[in-house]
Amino acid sequence: MVENMNSSTVSEYGNSSLLLLNAIPRESFSTALTKNIVAMLVWLALSILNCSMVSTFRKHCFFYEDPRYIMFICMVINDAIQLTLVTALYVMSYAFSKILASACCPLIMTAVTTTRSTPLILAGMALECYISICFPLYYSHICTITRTMWIIGVIFLLSFTPPLTDLFITVAKEPAQFFHTSIFCDHSLLFRDRSIYYKNCVFDSVYFSFVFLTLLYTYCKIMLTARAASTDVVSAKKARNTVLLHGVQLLLCMLAFVVPSMQAPLIQLFPMYGLEIRYVNFLLVYIIPRFLSPMIYGFRDEKFRKYWLRYFVSKAHKVKPAKHFSQKPG
């Protein structure tokens, strides 16, 4: 399945992972069809929300001039790509038991990159909230559009570095014909060298420590500012709550690195429920966290909510059938 695509979550490598896959009993056609339909419907619902938010952003130029909304829309697009990839990989795991390693490689690398990008974008958004509340006079000088775009570029570069090094290690250590063989499209089976696991363990430890400390620091500073401020207390409290929600979102993102490591032992303990464990893992790790992005900015942010609702109203009017038809003059 797609749930093990991040190597820091892999507890078993190569043959052991494949043995676990082979040990799981096949489920009935109706059960498999139901699971895939649910996955596709959730993907469709979230894709509609994501597309509506991107369209709302594109139609109003003043959003382009606000670093907060630029970073937000980057996270929405990033989540949409990740959700599409993991859902496609999930459905493909039922339709095709194996695909070429060369075809699996770009899918896994892109999915891992988008998975790693979300926490770093959250850290960037928390810093933007911190600057806007704690240094309002310097906000326009610090948070410029150019710097925001540079930060976004650095975030995606840092996120792409681990899967790129995974590929380099695999090319160096695997035989050339490996990429012409058919494999189950899974990170632990594609990048199976043990050094990759240890490398990403170190990277993830530093990576999540940095993001966690950033969110903790910004939350505490905003909370202290909200208590000390005599004016604009409401804005400070909203920023504090937003950073707190970013922390919840970060914890959910960390599930992508923590929960799958528990998957192999659970499947070994309960082999008859292996497919159910994988399905719950898929929903818990990759689907549920995607619901938070629309909630944090789509519903909580008053400015964006106003124009987002206008978008839905305009679409509803366009699809509403005409009740009256023009008549020819008699």
Side-chain angles (χ1 to χ4, degrees):
M1 295 294 180
V2 300
E3 294 84 343
N4 285 341
M5 63 177 61
N6 198 308
S7 64
S8 65
T9 65
V10 177
S11 58
E12 300 292 334
Y13 277 84
N15 293 332
S16 58
S17 296
L18 191 57
L19 287 173
L20 282 175
L21 290 171
N22 293 332
I24 298 175
R26 302 295 295 177
E27 58 191 353
S28 65
F29 175 78
S30 60
T31 303
L33 182 63
T34 301
K35 288 181 178 180
N36 280 275
I37 289 175
V38 170
M40 292 297 293
L41 288 176
V42 172
W43 168 81
L44 180 62
L46 285 173
S47 295
I48 291 172
L49 286 177
N50 290 332
C51 288
S52 67
M53 286 188 287
V54 173
S55 297
T56 302
F57 177 86
R58 290 179 64 251
K59 289 185 176 181
H60 303 285
C61 60
F62 49 81
F63 285 134
Y64 304 168
E65 302 170 359
D66 194 327
R68 179 176 306 174
Y69 296 106
I70 293 174
M71 297 195 74
F72 163 66
I73 212 65
C74 284
M75 185 170 66
V76 170
I77 295 172
N78 181 79
D79 285 353
I81 294 172
Q82 189 219 28
L83 181 67
T84 300
L85 279 172
V86 296
T87 304
L89 285 169
Y90 182 81
V91 174
M92 283 171 55
S93 69
Y94 282 89
F96 312 101
S97 58
K98 293 181 179 181
I99 63 173
L100 286 175
S102 56
C104 176
C105 186
L107 297 176
I108 292 295
M109 290 181 67
T110 307
V112 171
T113 300
T114 52
T115 300
R116 291 180 181 276
S117 297
T118 301
L120 291 177
I121 296 174
L122 289 174
M125 295 173 75
L127 284 172
E128 185 275 334
C129 287
Y130 162 71
I131 294 170
S132 67
I133 297 300
C134 298
F135 304 98
L137 298 178
Y138 302 98
Y139 178 82
S140 59
H141 299 287
I142 298 174
C143 297
T144 63
I145 304 302
T146 302
R147 287 178 179 174
T148 302
M149 299 308 295
W150 272 103
I151 290 173
I152 292 171
V154 170
I155 284 173
F156 284 106
L157 180 62
L158 288 174
S159 302
F160 185 64
T161 299
L164 185 63
T165 54
D166 293 348
L167 177 62
F168 287 158
I169 294 172
T170 302
V171 169
K173 295 195 174 183
E174 296 287 351
Q177 62 269 24
F178 169 73
F179 289 96
H180 299 284
T181 59
S182 296
I183 64 169
F184 189 88
C185 196
D186 180 274
H187 188 285
S188 61
L189 299 176
L190 178 64
F191 302 124
R192 54 192 182 180
D193 189 82
R194 186 167 291 274
S195 61
I196 293 175
Y197 170 74
Y198 295 118
K199 172 187 69 69
N200 284 335
C201 279
V202 173
F203 179 88
D204 289 338
S205 298
V206 176
Y207 169 78
F208 275 108
S209 296
F210 167 76
V211 176
F212 174 76
L213 291 175
T214 300
L215 291 178
L216 181 64
Y217 176 79
T218 54
Y219 177 80
C220 292
K221 293 295 287 186
I222 290 172
M223 185 172 62
L224 292 174
T225 302
R227 288 182 178 179
S230 57
T231 59
D232 207 15
V233 178
V234 175
S235 297
K237 287 184 176 180
K238 284 185 177 179
R240 182 196 63 189
N241 293 335
T242 298
V243 174
L244 184 60
L245 283 173
H246 287 335
V248 174
Q249 196 169 6
L250 174 65
L251 291 176
L252 290 174
C253 290
M254 289 179 67
L255 292 176
F257 300 84
V258 176
V259 172
S261 64
M262 300 159 50
Q263 179 173 274
L266 285 173
I267 291 175
Q268 287 179 329
L269 288 173
F270 308 101
M272 294 303 295
Y273 299 99
L275 290 170
E276 285 72 17
I277 292 171
R278 289 178 177 275
Y279 188 67
V280 171
N281 186 16
F282 169 72
L283 294 177
L284 186 66
V285 171
Y286 294 106
I287 301 298
I288 294 177
R290 306 284 84 77
F291 279 101
L292 275 182
S293 294
M295 184 188 75
I296 291 176
Y297 274 94
F299 297 116
R300 290 188 71 252
D301 188 88
E302 294 178 3
K303 182 178 179 180
F304 193 85
R305 182 174 68 237
K306 180 175 69 173
Y307 292 98
W308 195 25
L309 290 177
R310 285 183 186 178
Y311 171 84
F312 281 113
V313 171
S314 65
K315 288 296 181 181
H317 284 312
K318 286 181 180 180
V319 300
K320 186 177 180 180
K323 294 183 179 180
H324 302 284
F325 297 90
S326 59
Q327 297 181 353
K328 292 182 179 181

